[in-house]
Amino acid sequence: MSSASSGTRHPVHYTTATTPDGEVIGYAWGGFDGVGWIDRPASSLSAYQAGREWYRKVDEAQREGLAPHAVVASLSREPGAGPVTGAPSVAALEELSRTVTAADDRRLLAQLHPCDSQAWQELSDAFDVLTDEDRKVGSGGGQLSREGVYHVSFPVYTKPLWRAVHALSGVGAVTPEHRWVDNPMDPHAPVGALHPADAVRAATAIVRGERMCEGTLATALKIGLLDAVALSLRTWNASRRDERAGAAGPHPGCTGGPFMLYVAEAK
């Protein structure tokens, strides 16, 4: 949801829109090239939905025929808007919108269920028993039917591999809080260990991406991303488990439901 032109180099003025709890929703800007709205790709689902209303406000202000600086000044008086600020270009503002904050990471980690020991055991078991044969991706379709029509080919995954993939959902690593459509999966092999929040992002992109574009899982498997995700999540959960074991009494985050009260930032 952006009417920005990333190629512009002209200075712009903008106002920052935030939620009541301080999360940045996006930026309404105005300048030589007109006015526009820029989302934050890493924002929460609720912030993204709030951004739709801001997009509408920008569009309405533009239709009123106001000058770009007047549009921004008007929007800066809306609830949740910040003061009018300058930026060297729309491209610089788009770059700012791609900033991922510690709060973004904490929100994704809060989707995990560290107190569901059965789900985490299933994740460990499913990945531990995967063999090289289980990891092989077959191919279906591609044949010529009796009617003379070729069926589109598609990847065929083994049951053990599907078990491992489904286990990611079981621990809460596949979440609508990561807008994977706006954050495509990196097609390159991961470098180093994944931050657990990045593992949640990758797990969501892999599982949901496969439903929309067959072969996403095959790519993640080939470059080692799927295994990196599982290792990161298992390491994170093990560290949380050790911390809970060393605490006096049960932690309130384990009284039921998703683990929302205690999310230690993994290093």
Side-chain angles (χ1 to χ4, degrees):
M1 187 195 306
S2 171
S3 50
S5 174
S6 59
T8 182
R9 297 183 180 277
H10 299 105
V12 296
H13 288 89
Y14 69 93
T15 180
T16 302
T18 60
T19 63
D21 63 358
E23 181 184 1
V24 175
I25 301 171
Y27 309 93
W29 63 269
F32 179 84
D33 296 288
V35 299
W37 168 258
I38 300 176
D39 274 318
R40 283 189 63 243
S43 68
S44 65
L45 182 59
S46 60
Y48 172 73
Q49 292 170 340
R52 296 179 178 178
E53 177 64 16
W54 275 95
Y55 181 87
R56 183 189 64 77
K57 291 178 180 179
V58 172
D59 185 60
E60 287 184 350
Q62 185 179 28
R63 290 174 183 274
E64 291 178 2
L66 297 176
H69 70 274
V71 170
V72 176
S74 174
L75 293 173
S76 70
R77 294 189 286 271
E78 292 282 341
V84 177
T85 308
S89 66
V90 175
L93 200 54
E94 289 181 325
E95 184 64 27
L96 177 63
S97 75
R98 289 190 283 271
T99 301
V100 177
T101 68
D104 294 325
D105 287 347
R106 288 193 295 270
R107 184 181 65 255
L108 294 183
L109 293 180
Q111 304 302 299
L112 297 173
H113 313 316
C115 300
D116 189 342
S117 58
Q118 288 186 329
W120 286 96
Q121 188 61 54
E122 170 63 10
L123 180 70
S124 296
D125 292 345
F127 275 89
D128 284 344
V129 300
L130 278 181
T131 65
D132 291 341
E133 283 297 314
D134 295 331
R135 296 170 182 276
K136 289 183 178 180
V137 179
S139 179
Q143 302 94 351
L144 181 65
S145 69
R146 294 180 179 179
E147 293 77 20
V149 177
Y150 277 100
H151 292 284
V152 177
S153 60
F154 55 88
V156 176
Y157 306 109
T158 65
K159 288 184 178 180
L161 181 59
W162 273 124
R163 176 193 177 191
V165 171
H166 291 156
L168 294 173
S169 296
V171 300
V174 181
T175 170
E177 281 300 311
H178 175 59
R179 306 198 327 267
W180 67 273
V181 174
D182 296 322
N183 300 271
M185 186 182 77
D186 189 343
H188 302 95
V191 178
L194 286 180
H195 185 286
D198 288 334
V200 174
R201 293 181 177 96
T204 302
I206 292 169
V207 176
R208 297 200 166 185
E210 179 64 28
R211 299 171 187 170
M212 300 293 292
C213 181
E214 292 179 326
T216 301
L217 173 56
T219 298
L221 188 64
K222 180 179 179 180
I223 65 177
L225 181 59
L226 184 66
D227 290 292
V229 165
L231 177 60
S232 176
L233 293 174
R234 293 171 65 179
T235 300
W236 177 87
N237 185 61
S239 65
R240 302 290 82 76
R241 184 177 60 241
D242 292 343
E243 290 175 4
R244 293 195 300 273
H251 193 278
C254 289
T255 56
F259 192 43
M260 300 297 290
L261 301 180
Y262 174 66
V263 181
E265 203 172 338
K267 302 297 183 181

